[in-house]
Amino acid sequence: MVTSHSVATARPPGSAPRRHGAVLERAILDAALEQLGTVGWNGLTMEGVAVGARTGKAAVYRRWSSKEDLVVDALRAALPALGDAPDHGNVREDLYQLCRRVRAAMYSKPGFALRAVMHECDAEASERFHALILTGVTDPSKRLLREVLERGVARGEVRADAPGDLVYDVIPAMMMYRSKVCGSEWTDTEIAELIDRVMVPLLRG
């Protein structure tokens, strides 16, 4: 039996179900990432994100007052975690596997979007996204690298005086430089060469 209540609450065919809380926020964040991948930072608008999330613009603005805030949260929520430091029993393999994880983060959808944003946004916004790169990718990778090298020192594979801030910077700096300036996609072969020709000689002396 069709009642007046059921008519009032019926939705048009194909319309999105009403969403609230975390479900709606996740849809908005996903739509922001999708916008970044298709129209870039300059083309992204709060209205476009609302359309992509199949919600109203007011729902977006209630949660984020600017597209900078929205994009920072979208990228932070989606950047893949690097996990625990690899431990395969030797420093060479640990470094190789760690580099592969860093590459996966760099070339993930949010990683690609983050690098694209850095190229397009103004100086003020760029500082916020630069901080996100540090906290989301660079700092975690350096922390894991430190763990790998300290284990290498304990096993006698790495010189005790080798680990340090400059050494911890080598892999992230090389990978970011080759990716951004040279357009290298860092194949497994290139990663192995980085480890064998740069890192291992540097650590063993």
Side-chain angles (χ1 to χ4, degrees), residues 93-111:
E93 184 65 19
D94 290 346
L95 290 173
Y96 175 74
Q97 295 301 335
L98 178 56
C99 284
R100 296 181 77 229
R101 289 192 205 171
V102 173
R103 178 187 62 186
M106 289 172 58
Y107 287 95
S108 65
K109 184 176 181 179

Side-chain angles (χ1 to χ4, degrees), residues 8-12 15-21 23-24 53-56 59 62:
T9 58
R11 298 186 181 278
S15 65
R18 188 177 297 279
R19 296 156 299 169
H20 302 279
V23 174
L24 177 57
R54 301 178 70 184
T55 189
R62 276 198 300 271

Side-chain angles (χ1 to χ4, degrees), residues 9-130:
T9 58
R11 298 186 181 278
S15 65
R18 188 177 297 279
R19 296 156 299 169
H20 302 279
V23 174
L24 177 57
E25 289 187 5
R26 181 72 261 174
I28 295 171
L29 295 174
D30 288 343
L33 281 181
E34 186 65 29
Q35 282 265 302
L36 285 173
T38 55
V39 301
W41 168 259
N42 291 328
L44 183 144
T45 64
M46 301 291 264
E47 293 82 357
V49 170
V51 171
R54 301 178 70 184
T55 189
K57 183 171 63 175
V60 180
Y61 275 108
R62 276 198 300 271
R63 292 163 174 81
W64 296 276
S65 61
S66 69
K67 77 174 187 177
E68 288 88 350
D69 292 338
L70 171 58
V71 170
V72 165
D73 281 354
L75 292 170
R76 183 181 292 119
L79 280 173
L82 294 178
D84 296 328
D87 187 0
H88 298 274
N90 69 86
V91 72
R92 191 267 178 197
E93 184 65 19
D94 290 346
L95 290 173
Y96 175 74
Q97 295 301 335
L98 178 56
C99 284
R100 296 181 77 229
R101 289 192 205 171
V102 173
R103 178 187 62 186
M106 289 172 58
Y107 287 95
S108 65
K109 184 176 181 179
F112 178 82
L114 179 54
R115 288 184 287 121
V117 165
M118 291 291 293
H119 287 295
E120 293 185 48
C121 62
D122 58 30
E124 181 178 353
S126 180
E127 289 186 8
R128 295 189 65 185
F129 294 116
H130 182 259

Side-chain angles (χ1 to χ4, degrees), residues 159 162 166-167 170 195 197-205:
R159 296 191 337 269
L166 288 177
V167 173
V170 170
I195 302 306
R197 299 188 60 182
V198 178
M199 291 303 297
V200 170
L202 180 63
L203 298 172
R204 292 179 177 169

Side-chain angles (χ1 to χ4, degrees), residues 131-185:
L132 186 57
I133 288 179
L134 289 177
T135 59
V137 179
T138 306
D139 287 348
S141 66
K142 290 172 67 174
R143 175 181 56 80
L144 298 183
L145 178 59
R146 182 179 296 108
E147 292 183 33
V148 166
L149 296 191
E150 287 175 352
R151 281 203 305 263
V153 171
R155 290 195 298 257
E157 296 180 87
V158 175
R159 296 191 337 269
D161 64 339
D165 288 339
L166 288 177
V167 173
Y168 300 145
D169 281 340
V170 170
I171 287 176
M174 282 287 294
M175 295 188 76
M176 291 296 292
Y177 168 77
R178 289 286 299 274
S179 174
K180 183 176 180 180
V181 178
C182 306
S184 171
E185 295 186 358

